């Protein structure tokens, strides 16, 4: 059960998320229309966003392939170590494919920089990035996502796949933890 010292402040509603995910799917579905698109989700935080996004993409004329990578840069605390490491690699060929990286949140940028460089070296046909949330104030690296759901303030965010020490991933909406 909930610790009494943990407070959640609502930030983005389930309805707002749903509308924005549909709009992102339209952008992506139009951009890659007629092509095979390999989606590479970054575990664990992206799993709910990715699940909703691919179901919205089903309405577009695309051949989707879904795969995952796991990168670690956070321990059980909320401050990034700034040194991402690869824990789980993609399991299918990236070479000469249109690849779309899907992550929950772009914060300092260290994680996405690492993944972009890693996948670029595997020679994809194109490489783009989609994040649900962009905490742009916190950026340490010059990197931007091609598709962004929402720009969010510099606060610790949970829900809709994002956790704090394993908790709150299952919340259907997005909140700030304090
Ligand atoms: P970056 O490498 O850009 O600093 O961090 C990216 C990763 O850190 C995200 O994929 C996410 O897993 C985690 N992260 C960054 N900010 C937050 C946040 O506010 N809440 C949660 N739950 N995770 C975050
Ligand atoms: Mg993550």
């Amino acid at each position: 059960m909930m610790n009494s010292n943990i407070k959640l402040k609502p930030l983005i509603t389930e309805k707002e998320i749903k509308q924005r995910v549909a709009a992102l799917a339209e952008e992506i579905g139009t951009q890659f229309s007629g092509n095979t698109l390999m989606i590479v989700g970054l575990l664990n935080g992206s799993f709910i966003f990715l699940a909703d996004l691919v179901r919205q993409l089903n309405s577009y004329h695309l051949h989707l392939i879904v795969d995952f990578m796991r990168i670690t840069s956070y321990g059980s605390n909320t401050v990034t170590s700034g040194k991402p490491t690869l824990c789980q690699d993609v399991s299918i060929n990236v070479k000469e494919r249109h690849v779309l990286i899907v992550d929950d949140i772009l914060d300092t940028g260290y994680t996405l920089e690492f993944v972009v460089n890693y996948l670029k070296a595997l020679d994809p046909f194109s490489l783009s990035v989609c994040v649900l949330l962009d905490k742009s104030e916190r950026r340490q690296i010059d990197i931007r996502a091609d598709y962004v759901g929402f720009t969010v303030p510099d606060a610790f965010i949970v829900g809709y796949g994002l956790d704090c020490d394993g908790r709150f991933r299952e919340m259907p909406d997005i909140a700030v933890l304090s």
Side-chain angles (χ1 to χ4, degrees):
M1 286 290 98
M2 206 87 139
N3 287 343
S4 53
N5 58 337
I6 291 179
K7 285 206 170 65
L8 296 176
K9 190 171 147 248
L11 185 66
I12 308 170
T13 65
E14 191 177 356
K15 190 177 168 201
E16 288 166 333
I17 297 169
K18 196 172 180 192
Q19 286 170 348
R20 192 65 195 117
V21 172
L24 287 173
E26 187 180 4
E27 275 188 65
I28 294 164
T30 308
Q31 179 68 43
F32 294 98
S33 185
N35 289 292
T36 296
L37 178 64
M38 176 174 173
I39 295 203
V40 176
L42 306 189
L43 294 170
N44 295 332
S46 73
F47 81 112
I48 291 182
F49 173 44
L50 186 146
D52 283 346
L53 184 68
V54 295
R55 280 175 292 182
Q56 290 289 337
L57 282 170
N58 186 47
S59 317
Y60 297 87
H61 180 55
L62 291 180
H63 175 215
L64 276 192
I65 303 174
V66 180
D67 200 7
F68 296 95
M69 287 173 82
R70 186 190 301 270
I71 313 295
T72 307
S73 56
Y74 280 74
S76 61
N77 68 39
T78 57
V79 181
T80 182
S81 69
K83 279 208 174 61
T85 44
L86 180 67
C87 294
Q88 185 188 314
D89 202 350
V90 280
S91 62
I92 46 183
N93 220 347
V94 166
K95 195 174 163 69
E96 287 165 21
R97 285 202 158 117
H98 291 288
V99 174
L100 177 68
I101 301 165
V102 173
D103 202 7
D104 51 359
I105 181 164
L106 176 51
D107 185 25
T108 62
Y110 290 121
T111 304
L112 273 172
E113 183 198 42
F114 175 86
V115 174
V116 164
N117 289 337
Y118 184 85
L119 291 175
K120 247 185 205 161
L122 300 177
D123 203 18
F125 194 70
S126 72
L127 186 60
S128 32
V129 174
C130 175
V131 293
L132 178 68
L133 306 174
D134 184 358
K135 222 193 260 181
S136 53
E137 287 170 52
R138 293 248 314 154
R139 202 80 83 254
Q140 299 287 320
I141 305 263
D142 184 21
I143 188 168
R144 54 173 290 279
D146 302 276
Y147 308 94
V148 175
F150 303 91
T151 299
V152 292
D154 179 9
F156 198 78
I157 290 162
V158 296
Y160 198 67
L162 290 95
D163 75 312
C164 178
D165 213 359
R167 294 179 60 195
F168 308 115
R169 290 197 199 276
E170 68 276 28
M171 277 170 40
D173 51 356
I174 291 173
V176 168
L177 193 89
S178 58

